[in-house]
Short mmCIF file of all heavy atoms in Angstrom, two decimals:
data_model
loop_
_atom_site.label_atom_id
_atom_site.label_comp_id
_atom_site.label_asym_id
_atom_site.label_seq_id
_atom_site.Cartn_x
_atom_site.Cartn_y
_atom_site.Cartn_z
N LEU A 448 -8.16 60.00 -33.15
CA LEU A 448 -7.36 58.95 -32.47
C LEU A 448 -5.86 59.27 -32.60
O LEU A 448 -5.15 59.15 -31.61
CB LEU A 448 -7.73 57.63 -33.08
CG LEU A 448 -6.89 56.42 -32.62
CD1 LEU A 448 -7.07 56.25 -31.10
CD2 LEU A 448 -7.24 55.15 -33.34
N PHE A 449 -5.44 59.60 -33.79
CA PHE A 449 -4.02 59.96 -33.98
C PHE A 449 -3.59 61.10 -33.06
O PHE A 449 -2.52 61.03 -32.45
CB PHE A 449 -3.84 60.28 -35.45
CG PHE A 449 -2.39 60.54 -35.81
CD1 PHE A 449 -1.54 59.55 -36.09
CD2 PHE A 449 -1.89 61.84 -35.90
CE1 PHE A 449 -0.21 59.78 -36.42
CE2 PHE A 449 -0.59 62.08 -36.23
CZ PHE A 449 0.27 61.03 -36.48
N THR A 450 -4.46 62.10 -33.00
CA THR A 450 -4.09 63.26 -32.17
C THR A 450 -4.02 62.92 -30.67
O THR A 450 -3.15 63.42 -29.98
CB THR A 450 -5.14 64.40 -32.38
OG1 THR A 450 -5.18 64.70 -33.78
CG2 THR A 450 -4.80 65.62 -31.64
N LYS A 451 -4.96 62.12 -30.19
CA LYS A 451 -4.90 61.74 -28.74
C LYS A 451 -3.64 61.00 -28.41
O LYS A 451 -3.10 61.18 -27.27
CB LYS A 451 -6.11 60.81 -28.48
CG LYS A 451 -7.42 61.51 -28.31
CD LYS A 451 -8.54 60.56 -27.86
CE LYS A 451 -9.77 61.32 -27.66
NZ LYS A 451 -10.88 60.41 -27.19
N ILE A 452 -3.11 60.22 -29.33
CA ILE A 452 -1.90 59.42 -28.99
C ILE A 452 -0.64 60.28 -29.14
O ILE A 452 0.27 60.31 -28.30
CB ILE A 452 -1.80 58.19 -29.91
CG1 ILE A 452 -3.01 57.28 -29.64
CG2 ILE A 452 -0.52 57.46 -29.70
CD1 ILE A 452 -3.13 56.14 -30.65
N VAL A 453 -0.60 61.08 -30.22
CA VAL A 453 0.63 61.88 -30.52
C VAL A 453 0.68 63.18 -29.69
O VAL A 453 1.77 63.58 -29.24
CB VAL A 453 0.68 62.17 -32.06
CG1 VAL A 453 1.87 63.08 -32.36
CG2 VAL A 453 0.82 60.91 -32.85
N GLY A 454 -0.44 63.76 -29.50
CA GLY A 454 -0.51 65.07 -28.77
C GLY A 454 -1.02 66.14 -29.66
O GLY A 454 -0.62 66.29 -30.83
N GLU A 455 -1.86 67.02 -29.14
CA GLU A 455 -2.49 68.09 -29.88
C GLU A 455 -1.45 69.07 -30.48
O GLU A 455 -1.54 69.50 -31.61
CB GLU A 455 -3.47 68.86 -29.02
CG GLU A 455 -4.16 70.02 -29.68
CD GLU A 455 -5.14 69.61 -30.74
OE1 GLU A 455 -5.68 68.49 -30.58
OE2 GLU A 455 -5.35 70.34 -31.73
N GLU A 456 -0.43 69.38 -29.67
CA GLU A 456 0.54 70.37 -30.10
C GLU A 456 1.29 69.92 -31.38
O GLU A 456 1.52 70.74 -32.31
CB GLU A 456 1.53 70.59 -28.93
CG GLU A 456 2.59 71.68 -29.28
CD GLU A 456 3.53 71.87 -28.09
OE1 GLU A 456 3.23 71.37 -27.01
OE2 GLU A 456 4.53 72.59 -28.29
N ARG A 457 1.68 68.64 -31.44
CA ARG A 457 2.50 68.22 -32.61
C ARG A 457 1.61 68.10 -33.86
O ARG A 457 2.07 68.29 -34.97
CB ARG A 457 3.14 66.85 -32.29
CG ARG A 457 4.12 66.91 -31.17
CD ARG A 457 4.75 65.54 -30.87
NE ARG A 457 5.67 65.12 -31.94
CZ ARG A 457 6.30 63.94 -31.94
NH1 ARG A 457 6.10 63.10 -30.88
NH2 ARG A 457 7.12 63.62 -32.88
N VAL A 458 0.30 67.80 -33.65
CA VAL A 458 -0.55 67.61 -34.81
C VAL A 458 -1.10 68.88 -35.34
O VAL A 458 -1.28 69.09 -36.57
CB VAL A 458 -1.71 66.61 -34.45
CG1 VAL A 458 -2.67 66.48 -35.62
CG2 VAL A 458 -1.13 65.28 -34.07
N ALA A 459 -1.37 69.83 -34.51
CA ALA A 459 -1.99 71.08 -34.91
C ALA A 459 -1.23 71.81 -35.98
O ALA A 459 -1.86 72.38 -36.91
CB ALA A 459 -2.20 72.01 -33.69
N SER A 460 0.11 71.81 -35.88
CA SER A 460 0.90 72.52 -36.89
C SER A 460 1.09 71.76 -38.19
O SER A 460 1.64 72.29 -39.13
CB SER A 460 2.25 72.88 -36.25
OG SER A 460 2.93 71.70 -35.88
N GLU A 461 0.70 70.48 -38.17
CA GLU A 461 0.94 69.65 -39.35
C GLU A 461 -0.34 68.82 -39.64
O GLU A 461 -0.29 67.61 -39.87
CB GLU A 461 2.11 68.68 -39.18
CG GLU A 461 3.47 69.34 -39.02
CD GLU A 461 4.59 68.38 -38.93
OE1 GLU A 461 4.87 67.90 -37.83
OE2 GLU A 461 5.20 68.09 -40.02
N ARG A 462 -1.46 69.51 -39.66
CA ARG A 462 -2.73 68.84 -39.85
C ARG A 462 -2.78 68.02 -41.18
O ARG A 462 -3.24 66.91 -41.20
CB ARG A 462 -3.90 69.83 -39.82
CG ARG A 462 -5.27 69.20 -39.91
CD ARG A 462 -6.37 70.23 -39.82
NE ARG A 462 -7.65 69.60 -40.12
CZ ARG A 462 -8.35 68.93 -39.27
NH1 ARG A 462 -7.92 68.71 -38.03
NH2 ARG A 462 -9.54 68.40 -39.61
N ASP A 463 -2.32 68.66 -42.28
CA ASP A 463 -2.36 68.00 -43.56
C ASP A 463 -1.52 66.76 -43.59
O ASP A 463 -1.92 65.72 -44.14
CB ASP A 463 -1.95 68.95 -44.68
CG ASP A 463 -2.96 70.08 -44.93
OD1 ASP A 463 -4.15 69.88 -44.51
OD2 ASP A 463 -2.57 71.13 -45.52
N ALA A 464 -0.32 66.83 -43.00
CA ALA A 464 0.56 65.60 -42.85
C ALA A 464 -0.12 64.56 -42.03
O ALA A 464 -0.04 63.35 -42.34
CB ALA A 464 1.88 66.01 -42.25
N ALA A 465 -0.85 64.96 -40.99
CA ALA A 465 -1.57 63.99 -40.17
C ALA A 465 -2.64 63.27 -40.94
O ALA A 465 -2.84 62.09 -40.80
CB ALA A 465 -2.06 64.68 -38.89
N LEU A 466 -3.35 64.06 -41.77
CA LEU A 466 -4.38 63.41 -42.61
C LEU A 466 -3.77 62.45 -43.58
O LEU A 466 -4.35 61.40 -43.87
CB LEU A 466 -5.19 64.53 -43.36
CG LEU A 466 -6.09 65.35 -42.46
CD1 LEU A 466 -6.67 66.54 -43.27
CD2 LEU A 466 -7.30 64.47 -41.95
N ASP A 467 -2.54 62.81 -44.08
CA ASP A 467 -1.88 61.87 -45.00
C ASP A 467 -1.51 60.56 -44.27
O ASP A 467 -1.60 59.46 -44.84
CB ASP A 467 -0.58 62.53 -45.53
CG ASP A 467 -0.90 63.64 -46.50
OD1 ASP A 467 -2.01 63.68 -47.06
OD2 ASP A 467 -0.01 64.50 -46.75
N VAL A 468 -1.07 60.66 -42.96
CA VAL A 468 -0.75 59.49 -42.24
C VAL A 468 -1.95 58.60 -42.03
O VAL A 468 -1.87 57.38 -42.29
CB VAL A 468 -0.14 59.91 -40.85
CG1 VAL A 468 -0.02 58.67 -39.93
CG2 VAL A 468 1.18 60.57 -41.04
N VAL A 469 -3.05 59.15 -41.55
CA VAL A 469 -4.22 58.28 -41.29
C VAL A 469 -4.81 57.72 -42.58
O VAL A 469 -5.34 56.60 -42.63
CB VAL A 469 -5.30 59.02 -40.46
CG1 VAL A 469 -4.74 59.40 -39.08
CG2 VAL A 469 -5.82 60.24 -41.20
N ALA A 470 -4.66 58.45 -43.65
CA ALA A 470 -5.17 57.95 -44.94
C ALA A 470 -4.27 56.79 -45.40
O ALA A 470 -4.70 55.78 -45.92
CB ALA A 470 -5.15 59.09 -45.99
N ALA A 471 -2.94 56.97 -45.18
CA ALA A 471 -2.03 55.85 -45.55
C ALA A 471 -2.29 54.61 -44.66
O ALA A 471 -2.02 53.50 -45.11
CB ALA A 471 -0.55 56.33 -45.38
N CYS A 472 -2.81 54.81 -43.50
CA CYS A 472 -3.15 53.70 -42.65
C CYS A 472 -4.45 53.08 -42.98
O CYS A 472 -4.96 52.14 -42.34
CB CYS A 472 -3.22 54.15 -41.20
SG CYS A 472 -1.65 54.59 -40.48
N GLY A 473 -5.10 53.63 -43.99
CA GLY A 473 -6.39 53.08 -44.44
C GLY A 473 -7.54 53.30 -43.44
O GLY A 473 -8.55 52.65 -43.45
N PHE A 474 -7.26 54.27 -42.54
CA PHE A 474 -8.24 54.57 -41.46
C PHE A 474 -8.54 53.35 -40.59
O PHE A 474 -9.54 53.34 -39.87
CB PHE A 474 -9.57 55.15 -42.02
CG PHE A 474 -9.34 56.29 -42.98
CD1 PHE A 474 -9.52 56.20 -44.31
CD2 PHE A 474 -8.87 57.54 -42.49
CE1 PHE A 474 -9.30 57.24 -45.19
CE2 PHE A 474 -8.68 58.60 -43.33
CZ PHE A 474 -8.86 58.44 -44.72
N LEU A 475 -7.59 52.37 -40.62
CA LEU A 475 -7.75 51.24 -39.73
C LEU A 475 -7.23 51.59 -38.37
O LEU A 475 -6.07 52.04 -38.21
CB LEU A 475 -6.97 50.01 -40.29
CG LEU A 475 -7.59 49.31 -41.49
CD1 LEU A 475 -6.57 48.38 -42.05
CD2 LEU A 475 -8.82 48.59 -41.01
N PRO A 476 -8.00 51.45 -37.30
CA PRO A 476 -7.53 51.84 -35.98
C PRO A 476 -6.24 51.24 -35.52
O PRO A 476 -5.40 51.92 -34.94
CB PRO A 476 -8.71 51.37 -35.04
CG PRO A 476 -9.89 51.39 -35.95
CD PRO A 476 -9.40 50.99 -37.30
N LEU A 477 -6.03 49.93 -35.78
CA LEU A 477 -4.81 49.26 -35.32
C LEU A 477 -3.59 49.90 -36.00
O LEU A 477 -2.57 50.12 -35.39
CB LEU A 477 -4.86 47.81 -35.61
CG LEU A 477 -3.64 46.94 -35.14
CD1 LEU A 477 -3.39 47.13 -33.63
CD2 LEU A 477 -3.84 45.47 -35.48
N ALA A 478 -3.71 50.14 -37.33
CA ALA A 478 -2.57 50.76 -38.08
C ALA A 478 -2.31 52.18 -37.56
O ALA A 478 -1.14 52.52 -37.38
CB ALA A 478 -2.90 50.83 -39.54
N ILE A 479 -3.36 52.96 -37.24
CA ILE A 479 -3.17 54.29 -36.76
C ILE A 479 -2.49 54.24 -35.42
O ILE A 479 -1.61 55.03 -35.12
CB ILE A 479 -4.54 54.98 -36.67
CG1 ILE A 479 -5.18 55.18 -38.05
CG2 ILE A 479 -4.42 56.35 -35.97
CD1 ILE A 479 -6.62 55.55 -38.07
N ARG A 480 -2.93 53.36 -34.55
CA ARG A 480 -2.35 53.26 -33.21
C ARG A 480 -0.89 52.93 -33.24
O ARG A 480 -0.05 53.50 -32.52
CB ARG A 480 -3.13 52.21 -32.38
CG ARG A 480 -2.63 52.08 -30.93
CD ARG A 480 -3.57 51.19 -30.13
NE ARG A 480 -4.92 51.77 -30.11
CZ ARG A 480 -5.28 52.75 -29.28
NH1 ARG A 480 -4.41 53.29 -28.45
NH2 ARG A 480 -6.53 53.24 -29.29
#
Side-chain angles (χ1 to χ4, degrees):
L448 175 60
F449 184 82
T450 303
K451 283 186 177 181
I452 298 173
V453 174
E455 179 69 30
E456 182 179 349
R457 296 178 73 181
V458 174
S460 60
E461 296 184 275
R462 180 178 174 81
D463 290 341
L466 287 172
D467 289 340
V468 169
V469 296
C472 291
F474 308 109
L475 285 168
L477 182 58
I479 296 168
R480 183 172 298 280

